[in-house]
mmCIF file with all atom_site columns, all heavy atoms in Angstrom:
data_model
loop_
_atom_site.group_PDB
_atom_site.id
_atom_site.type_symbol
_atom_site.label_atom_id
_atom_site.label_alt_id
_atom_site.label_comp_id
_atom_site.label_asym_id
_atom_site.label_entity_id
_atom_site.label_seq_id
_atom_site.pdbx_PDB_ins_code
_atom_site.Cartn_x
_atom_site.Cartn_y
_atom_site.Cartn_z
_atom_site.occupancy
_atom_site.B_iso_or_equiv
_atom_site.pdbx_formal_charge
_atom_site.auth_seq_id
_atom_site.auth_comp_id
_atom_site.auth_asym_id
_atom_site.auth_atom_id
_atom_site.pdbx_PDB_model_num
ATOM 1  N N   . ASP A 1 17  ? -17.962 -49.539 -65.705 1.00 0.00 ? 34  ASP A N   1
ATOM 2  C CA  . ASP A 1 17  ? -18.152 -50.850 -65.094 1.00 0.00 ? 34  ASP A CA  1
ATOM 3  C C   . ASP A 1 17  ? -19.598 -51.350 -65.154 1.00 0.00 ? 34  ASP A C   1
ATOM 4  O O   . ASP A 1 17  ? -19.872 -52.489 -64.791 1.00 0.00 ? 34  ASP A O   1
ATOM 5  C CB  . ASP A 1 17  ? -17.696 -50.812 -63.631 1.00 0.00 ? 34  ASP A CB  1
ATOM 6  C CG  . ASP A 1 17  ? -16.202 -50.538 -63.506 1.00 0.00 ? 34  ASP A CG  1
ATOM 7  O OD1 . ASP A 1 17  ? -15.446 -50.955 -64.409 1.00 0.00 ? 34  ASP A OD1 1
ATOM 8  O OD2 . ASP A 1 17  ? -15.805 -49.894 -62.511 1.00 0.00 ? 34  ASP A OD2 1
ATOM 9  N N   . GLY A 1 74  ? -11.748 -41.871 -80.357 1.00 0.00 ? 91  GLY A N   1
ATOM 10 C CA  . GLY A 1 74  ? -11.337 -41.313 -81.641 1.00 0.00 ? 91  GLY A CA  1
ATOM 11 C C   . GLY A 1 74  ? -12.413 -41.415 -82.699 1.00 0.00 ? 91  GLY A C   1
ATOM 12 O O   . GLY A 1 74  ? -12.284 -40.837 -83.779 1.00 0.00 ? 91  GLY A O   1
ATOM 13 N N   . ALA A 1 93  ? -39.714 -27.675 -60.542 1.00 0.00 ? 110 ALA A N   1
ATOM 14 C CA  . ALA A 1 93  ? -39.475 -27.377 -59.129 1.00 0.00 ? 110 ALA A CA  1
ATOM 15 C C   . ALA A 1 93  ? -38.313 -26.412 -58.962 1.00 0.00 ? 110 ALA A C   1
ATOM 16 O O   . ALA A 1 93  ? -37.382 -26.391 -59.769 1.00 0.00 ? 110 ALA A O   1
ATOM 17 C CB  . ALA A 1 93  ? -39.182 -28.663 -58.350 1.00 0.00 ? 110 ALA A CB  1
ATOM 18 N N   . GLY A 1 97  ? -30.841 -24.264 -53.031 1.00 0.00 ? 114 GLY A N   1
ATOM 19 C CA  . GLY A 1 97  ? -29.409 -24.392 -53.259 1.00 0.00 ? 114 GLY A CA  1
ATOM 20 C C   . GLY A 1 97  ? -29.023 -24.650 -54.694 1.00 0.00 ? 114 GLY A C   1
ATOM 21 O O   . GLY A 1 97  ? -27.826 -24.671 -55.015 1.00 0.00 ? 114 GLY A O   1
ATOM 22 N N   . ASN A 1 159 ? -25.488 -34.515 -69.215 1.00 0.00 ? 176 ASN A N   1
ATOM 23 C CA  . ASN A 1 159 ? -26.584 -33.636 -68.823 1.00 0.00 ? 176 ASN A CA  1
ATOM 24 C C   . ASN A 1 159 ? -26.472 -32.281 -69.522 1.00 0.00 ? 176 ASN A C   1
ATOM 25 O O   . ASN A 1 159 ? -26.314 -31.236 -68.882 1.00 0.00 ? 176 ASN A O   1
ATOM 26 C CB  . ASN A 1 159 ? -26.580 -33.470 -67.303 1.00 0.00 ? 176 ASN A CB  1
ATOM 27 C CG  . ASN A 1 159 ? -27.848 -32.852 -66.779 1.00 0.00 ? 176 ASN A CG  1
ATOM 28 O OD1 . ASN A 1 159 ? -28.888 -32.889 -67.428 1.00 0.00 ? 176 ASN A OD1 1
ATOM 29 N ND2 . ASN A 1 159 ? -27.768 -32.280 -65.586 1.00 0.00 ? 176 ASN A ND2 1
ATOM 30 N N   . ALA A 1 221 ? -16.067 -32.032 -78.430 1.00 0.00 ? 238 ALA A N   1
ATOM 31 C CA  . ALA A 1 221 ? -17.209 -32.019 -77.515 1.00 0.00 ? 238 ALA A CA  1
ATOM 32 C C   . ALA A 1 221 ? -18.464 -32.247 -78.357 1.00 0.00 ? 238 ALA A C   1
ATOM 33 O O   . ALA A 1 221 ? -18.394 -32.276 -79.586 1.00 0.00 ? 238 ALA A O   1
ATOM 34 C CB  . ALA A 1 221 ? -17.280 -30.683 -76.770 1.00 0.00 ? 238 ALA A CB  1
ATOM 35 N N   . ILE A 1 261 ? -37.939 -11.503 -64.591 1.00 0.00 ? 278 ILE A N   1
ATOM 36 C CA  . ILE A 1 261 ? -38.869 -11.837 -63.517 1.00 0.00 ? 278 ILE A CA  1
ATOM 37 C C   . ILE A 1 261 ? -39.640 -10.589 -63.095 1.00 0.00 ? 278 ILE A C   1
ATOM 38 O O   . ILE A 1 261 ? -40.864 -10.625 -62.906 1.00 0.00 ? 278 ILE A O   1
ATOM 39 C CB  . ILE A 1 261 ? -38.115 -12.459 -62.328 1.00 0.00 ? 278 ILE A CB  1
ATOM 40 C CG1 . ILE A 1 261 ? -37.610 -13.862 -62.704 1.00 0.00 ? 278 ILE A CG1 1
ATOM 41 C CG2 . ILE A 1 261 ? -38.985 -12.494 -61.078 1.00 0.00 ? 278 ILE A CG2 1
ATOM 42 C CD1 . ILE A 1 261 ? -36.668 -14.461 -61.690 1.00 0.00 ? 278 ILE A CD1 1
ATOM 43 N N   . VAL A 1 281 ? -38.837 -22.558 -68.129 1.00 0.00 ? 298 VAL A N   1
ATOM 44 C CA  . VAL A 1 281 ? -39.415 -23.431 -69.161 1.00 0.00 ? 298 VAL A CA  1
ATOM 45 C C   . VAL A 1 281 ? -39.618 -22.740 -70.494 1.00 0.00 ? 298 VAL A C   1
ATOM 46 O O   . VAL A 1 281 ? -39.886 -23.402 -71.501 1.00 0.00 ? 298 VAL A O   1
ATOM 47 C CB  . VAL A 1 281 ? -40.756 -24.042 -68.690 1.00 0.00 ? 298 VAL A CB  1
ATOM 48 C CG1 . VAL A 1 281 ? -40.571 -24.817 -67.394 1.00 0.00 ? 298 VAL A CG1 1
ATOM 49 C CG2 . VAL A 1 281 ? -41.844 -22.986 -68.544 1.00 0.00 ? 298 VAL A CG2 1
ATOM 50 N N   . THR A 1 299 ? -28.662 -11.693 -72.696 1.00 0.00 ? 316 THR A N   1
ATOM 51 C CA  . THR A 1 299 ? -30.029 -11.245 -72.907 1.00 0.00 ? 316 THR A CA  1
ATOM 52 C C   . THR A 1 299 ? -30.999 -12.391 -72.671 1.00 0.00 ? 316 THR A C   1
ATOM 53 O O   . THR A 1 299 ? -30.744 -13.510 -73.109 1.00 0.00 ? 316 THR A O   1
ATOM 54 C CB  . THR A 1 299 ? -30.211 -10.712 -74.342 1.00 0.00 ? 316 THR A CB  1
ATOM 55 O OG1 . THR A 1 299 ? -29.177 -9.764  -74.630 1.00 0.00 ? 316 THR A OG1 1
ATOM 56 C CG2 . THR A 1 299 ? -31.559 -10.024 -74.500 1.00 0.00 ? 316 THR A CG2 1
ATOM 57 N N   . LYS A 1 304 ? -43.208 -13.649 -77.261 1.00 0.00 ? 321 LYS A N   1
ATOM 58 C CA  . LYS A 1 304 ? -44.496 -13.024 -76.940 1.00 0.00 ? 321 LYS A CA  1
ATOM 59 C C   . LYS A 1 304 ? -45.686 -13.893 -77.321 1.00 0.00 ? 321 LYS A C   1
ATOM 60 O O   . LYS A 1 304 ? -46.770 -13.767 -76.735 1.00 0.00 ? 321 LYS A O   1
ATOM 61 C CB  . LYS A 1 304 ? -44.586 -11.665 -77.633 1.00 0.00 ? 321 LYS A CB  1
ATOM 62 C CG  . LYS A 1 304 ? -43.602 -10.629 -77.074 1.00 0.00 ? 321 LYS A CG  1
ATOM 63 C CD  . LYS A 1 304 ? -43.886 -9.239  -77.578 1.00 0.00 ? 321 LYS A CD  1
ATOM 64 C CE  . LYS A 1 304 ? -43.605 -9.075  -79.045 1.00 0.00 ? 321 LYS A CE  1
ATOM 65 N NZ  . LYS A 1 304 ? -43.782 -7.676  -79.501 1.00 0.00 ? 321 LYS A NZ  1
#
Side-chain angles (χ1 to χ4, degrees):
D34 296 328
N176 193 22
I278 290 170
V298 303
T316 310
K321 292 191 291 185

